[in-house]
Amino acid sequence: MALTLEQAQRVGYTCLKALLRFAFMVANNLVAIPSYVLYLIVLQPLRILDSKSFWYIEGVLFKWLLAMVASWGWWAGYTVVEWGDDVKAVSEDEAMVLVNHQATGDVCTLMMCLQDKGTVVRQMMWLMDHIFKYTNFGIVSLIHGDFFIRQGKTHRDQQLVLLKDHLEKYYRSRNRKWIVLFPEGGFLRKRRETSQAFAKKNNLPFLKHVTLPRLGATQVILKTLVAPQENGTPSGGDAVRKESKSKGLQWVIDTTIAYPKAEPIDIQTWILGYRQPTVTHVHYRIFPVKDVPADPEALTNWLYQRFIEKENLLTHFYETGAFPPPQGQTKAISREMTLSNLWLVAIQSFAFLSGGMWYCLFQYLYHCLF
């Protein structure tokens, strides 16, 4: 069927816009990521003299880099509406964030919606598949101290040992507060069939919108980061809880990402912007870590329950276009997440000015030496 002139113009405009966005993204990466690395190289003496200040500055630069990624989606009309508990209330406490995983755009969505949560982004640690180490952002994540985990049975035990060592070495020494992981261990489309077969074999619930989570990384994080007195019910009441608030992991934040019509956004769409403006919905539920069981079997059941709840949340969302109200309430309240365009422009300008500064500096040094 032949395209009409109007359709051809629309396709041409979409392709041109995608090409320009891709060119901007490449330029953005070429100036922002090397600048981040070079700033931290120059600041190495500060790392020796005042490690806390060094990692504070690194965290600010890291947050700005993530804001640049968020801006690619924001300016394409890919926005976020939030539901459930208000995580800003625990933004200064230590928390583990459990997220369902559908596509590469999930990470970009989190980079966006956590931007307005205080110090969270600059003090967070990510657990991600080792393949991301070899992407353009890999060097940034390596410096920041994120953990790259290899999937598969042959690597599982070794990776959990490495994760424990990594947390002990970097988490508190770099003043990290939130740790983000995807317990399903892969994208929904890749793991759903295997998960459903496992569920059928072990008499577990049949899930369509999420997969059964894996226990390993969650258990290691809880064992390593939770203060001993909080791994269970404290006996001293409010006084004990108040005193222990700054000691160890305090919360588990169950985060559920939902896309309209169950059509997730991938990183290519985020960059090229060829999809129509889309609102992604993010639901939060906060659990005190003292309510999370330590026993492996009980923890497995607890984690399964979280993903069964995610399944119910997503089923309700796909049927109604909204998440259900919290228990005991009649209406669910949503919050539209916003970013300041002026702030995003300022960060992008800083990146390009930094790139120009480093280029001029290296040109000057080259001419002085040669």
Side-chain angles (χ1 to χ4, degrees), residues 98 252-256 283-287 306 309-310:
L98 306 175
V252 175
I253 303 175
D254 187 29
T255 303
T256 304
H283 183 279
Y284 305 104
R285 188 177 177 197
I286 302 173
F287 295 88
R306 301 290 71 76
E309 288 178 8
K310 285 180 183 292

Side-chain angles (χ1 to χ4, degrees), residues 201-306:
K201 182 179 179 180
N202 292 275
N203 197 28
L204 294 168
F206 184 86
L207 307 177
K208 296 190 299 181
H209 305 306
V210 294
T211 66
L212 290 170
R214 294 169 176 172
L215 176 66
T218 304
Q219 186 176 30
V220 168
I221 291 168
L222 291 171
K223 279 188 174 181
T224 308
L225 300 182
V226 173
Q229 69 270 22
E230 291 185 1
N231 201 7
T233 303
S235 57
D238 292 339
V240 173
R241 284 196 291 274
K242 184 176 180 181
E243 181 182 350
S244 65
K245 188 175 181 180
S246 62
K247 300 176 182 178
L249 204 68
Q250 298 294 308
W251 312 97
V252 175
I253 303 175
D254 187 29
T255 303
T256 304
I257 299 176
Y259 299 95
K261 300 180 182 179
E263 297 175 353
I265 298 176
D266 54 27
I267 189 65
Q268 300 96 310
T269 306
W270 195 270
I271 293 169
L272 300 177
Y274 50 76
R275 183 166 165 176
Q276 291 298 309
T278 302
V279 179
T280 301
H281 296 256
V282 181
H283 183 279
Y284 305 104
R285 188 177 177 197
I286 302 173
F287 295 88
V289 78
K290 66 182 180 65
D291 294 339
V292 180
D295 175 74
E297 184 175 350
L299 178 59
T300 299
N301 292 332
W302 185 89
L303 199 57
Y304 281 176
Q305 283 302 311
R306 301 290 71 76

